[in-house]
Amino acid sequence: MIGVRSSGFGRRWAAVALAAAFVMSAGVVAAPTTARAATGSGWLHTEGARIVTASGATHTIRAVSWFGMETSNCAPHGLWTIPLDDGLRRIAEMGFNTIRLPFSNECLAARSSTSIDPQANPGLVSLSPLQLMDTVIARAKTLGLDVILDRHRPGSDAQSELWYTGAYSEKRWIDDWKMLAARYKNEPAVVGVDLHNEPHGNACWACGDPATDWRAAATRAGNAVLAVNPKLLIIVEGVERQPGGASTWWGGGLAGAAASPVTLAVANRVVYSPHDYPASVYAQTWFGAAGYPSNLEAVWEKNWGFLVTKGIAPVLLGEFGTQLETASDKAWLQTLVGYLGKKGISFAYWSFNPNSGDTGGLVQDDWRTPQTAKLTALAPLLRPAVVPTPKPTATPKPTATPKPTATPKPTATPKPTATPKPTATPAPPTGAGITAAWTLQSAWGEGYVADIVLTAETARKSWTVSWSSPGATSIVNAWGMACTLKGTVITCTGSGWAAAPQSGQILRVGLQVAASRAPSAPSLTVSSS
């Protein structure tokens, strides 16, 4: 199927020598002497093919996605290892000015998130996902980072080809967008909303069928959002199947916008947002064509670049990324970086996270060490900034949170996902006064993250849990416990804040494992003293 890729989540100035700015010293990107202190852009709007500030200055969105709030964790991934501020600061130091923050409608209604280390992130564990979203936005703002909210999935188990499913109606989609628009109406750090991630399959552009016409649905949702906050950018992705019959990436085709643009009640708000990936993600026909990679610009112009070339509307390349391991991928990225710089196109790189199955991220599995080859390749597009040290701020008081509704899980689409629906062990084993339940939170080609929920029936001085994990090669990180791998058996012993649970106490600990595959429901051996 054209456009299939595994992450699904899961981009100008080429002449300047910015690559030299990316000198890593203790894991920090050194900024050039001409860099200025980072500040947010404020409310943005469009003029022709430009995104502009309130003063009319051209503004290029340089974003990176930090995913996780669309998964069963309902929290940005990596908070099991690094403090939130550390991740945001690293993003700002790399030269990005915006966070693209994926979420699911399911998480918006959830009461809690998972896989947050309370020692690395004190105060975040008890927050609802909406309160956590408040905090991410507030902390990003202190570092001069804007935020784009990305409705990545309806439910947290899989993406959907259309903007609604049997479990998540169009009304709920629009109502949740109206709620978020109201929640951040007075927060200029939230500059835009990406209405629905990667329409594909039956999604069509201006076909006239109310059930599948993505352009019509984007118009309805965009107008509903702007009725609440007319200052937001409305980010509209493309479709997989173009009106002329050609196929491209999920969300990647915007040829139909030439004859049938999205026209909203508030002018100068629409930003079109295709996605584009290299041959390692999916072998599109143009990767094997004669003249590759010189043929790529013609492909991009036909699918979405014409919107900028002809001055119709701004483009934000909403996702692009690569493991950067093959000659083809390296040629693709070099050509794309040059094209974006030449055209002045905004972008959002996929992803900051190292646990994106088909692209990896901008940091290694420790969530700290920069991927220098990728940053060097992206350097012509980035502007490293002098980042202020953030001062602790109180979490914004949330407005009314929608109550969770008991809805069935949506049917998974054929597209593979890097974060399968968590599968818990059938029955928590008991070990002398303590029970343990193992849950797979996310998995990708090179590893997985799992949670263990411990319930102490009586006070315990120590505890140990072990299970078989075929394909495991090393323990990358663990929180609330110390873990070892011997053969195929992982053994974890409580440590730090989770070492000695009190009677009746429930603890959630976890770990990240480097592995070729993840167990789904391993048998646990539990002991305690």
Side-chain angles (χ1 to χ4, degrees):
M1 174 179 170
I2 298 297
V4 171
R5 60 186 181 80
S6 62
S7 72
F9 292 136
R11 100 260 40 124
R12 114 177 130 156
W13 304 278
V16 300
L18 279 179
F22 287 90
V23 177
M24 305 296 168
S25 175
V28 177
V29 179
T33 57
T34 55
R36 58 178 178 80
T39 57
S41 65
W43 299 116
L44 300 168
H45 63 280
T46 71
E47 289 184 4
R50 297 187 302 141
I51 298 172
V52 297
T53 65
S55 66
T58 298
H59 179 77
T60 302
I61 294 173
R62 305 188 302 275
V64 64
S65 293
W66 188 352
F67 67 80
M69 293 197 73
E70 82 285 14
T71 72
S72 58
N73 302 74
C74 293
H77 285 178
L79 298 186
W80 53 70
T81 296
I82 59 170
L84 173 63
D85 282 348
D86 284 8
L88 293 171
R89 170 174 286 274
R90 188 166 300 281
I91 287 170
E93 289 169 339
M94 287 175 176
F96 296 96
N97 60 19
T98 305
I99 301 290
R100 181 174 178 257
L101 188 64
F103 67 87
S104 69
N105 297 89
E106 183 178 1
C107 284
L108 292 182
R111 297 186 182 277
S112 61
S113 59
T114 64
S115 300
I116 299 177
D117 181 358
Q119 290 188 320
N121 292 284
L124 299 188
V125 176
S126 62
L127 300 181
S128 71
L130 266 176
Q131 292 171 327
L132 182 57
M133 182 180 285
D134 294 338
T135 303
V136 172
I137 293 168
R139 303 307 292 154
K141 184 178 181 178
T142 66
L143 293 164
L145 294 168
D146 294 329
V147 176
I148 290 172
L149 300 178
D150 159 42
R151 193 278 199 140
H152 211 76
R153 299 174 170 183
S156 296
D157 55 348
Q159 289 185 221
S160 61
E161 62 180 41
L162 300 174
W163 55 97
Y164 65 92
T165 67
Y168 295 86
S169 66
E170 176 177 308
K171 182 179 186 301
R172 180 167 177 181
W173 173 57
I174 292 178
D175 284 349
D176 278 350
W177 269 130
K178 289 164 64 177
M179 178 272 293
L180 291 173
R183 191 178 187 90
Y184 304 119
K185 184 175 182 178
N186 297 316
E187 180 48 83
V190 179
V191 296
V193 297
D194 191 340
L195 294 176
H196 174 59
N197 184 64
E198 294 186 344
H200 62 278
N202 289 323
C204 58
W205 191 277
C207 63
D209 182 348
T212 59
D213 191 335
W214 167 235
R215 170 185 169 270
T219 302
R220 293 191 294 271
N223 281 333
V225 169
L226 292 176
V228 178
N229 182 1
K231 297 180 180 179
L232 287 167
L233 295 177
I234 304 300
I235 298 170
V236 181
E237 298 190 24
V239 293
E240 176 192 2
R241 296 173 182 167
Q242 305 268 38
S247 292
T248 182
W249 301 105
W250 290 7
L254 284 157
S260 303
V262 173
T263 303
L264 301 177
V266 180
N268 302 319
R269 294 291 153 192
V270 175
V271 176
Y272 292 107
S273 186
H275 291 183
D276 198 271
Y277 281 93
S280 63
V281 175
Y282 187 80
Q284 302 278 14
T285 56
W286 47 84
F287 295 122
Y292 176 82
S294 299
N295 62 324
L296 289 175
E297 289 200 13
V299 174
W300 298 328
E301 278 291 310
K302 182 179 179 180
N303 288 338
W304 44 268
F306 72 92
L307 292 163
V308 173
T309 302
K310 296 181 179 181
I312 297 172
V315 166
L316 164 71
L317 184 59
E319 283 187 21
F320 71 107
T322 169
Q323 296 278 9
L324 206 63
E325 293 174 344
T326 68
S328 177
D329 275 26
K330 292 174 182 178
W332 167 83
L333 184 57
Q334 182 180 22
T335 306
L336 182 58
V337 166
Y339 181 75
L340 296 178
K342 178 173 60 177
K343 295 288 186 178
I345 293 175
S346 294
F347 58 91
Y349 187 83
W350 186 273
S351 61
F352 174 67
N353 306 50
N355 60 327
S356 175
D358 50 13
T359 66
L362 294 179
V363 287
Q364 297 181 23
D365 285 344
D366 61 2
W367 291 85
R368 292 181 171 88
T369 307
Q371 292 277 12
T372 54
K374 293 183 182 180
L375 290 169
T376 299
L378 293 171
L381 297 175
L382 299 177
R383 280 288 182 271
V386 178
V387 181
T389 300
K391 296 179 180 179
T393 58
T395 301
K397 186 176 181 181
T399 56
T401 302
K403 295 182 179 179
T405 57
T407 56
K409 294 288 184 181
T411 302
T413 59
K415 180 179 183 180
T417 173
T419 54
K421 183 180 178 181
T423 304
T425 50
T430 302
I434 193 167
T435 62
W438 189 100
T439 302
L440 180 65
Q441 288 295 342
S442 58
W444 56 101
E446 294 82 32
Y448 66 89
V449 171
D451 282 350
I452 299 174
V453 177
L454 299 157
T455 303
E457 299 169 355
T458 58
R460 302 282 90 191
K461 294 180 180 179
S462 64
W463 57 266
T464 299
V465 178
S466 63
W467 67 94
S468 178
S469 183
T473 57
S474 67
I475 308 300
V476 179
N477 276 297
W479 45 100
M481 55 189 183
C483 300
T484 60
L485 173 65
K486 186 175 182 179
T488 63
V489 176
I490 294 176
T491 302
C492 297
T493 301
S495 67
W497 52 272
Q502 300 302 304
S503 178
Q505 187 176 8
I506 299 175
L507 297 172
R508 185 183 295 273
V509 296
L511 79 168
Q512 180 181 351
V513 182
S516 59
R517 61 188 184 277
S520 59
S523 176
L524 303 184
T525 300
V526 184
S527 63
S528 67
S529 62

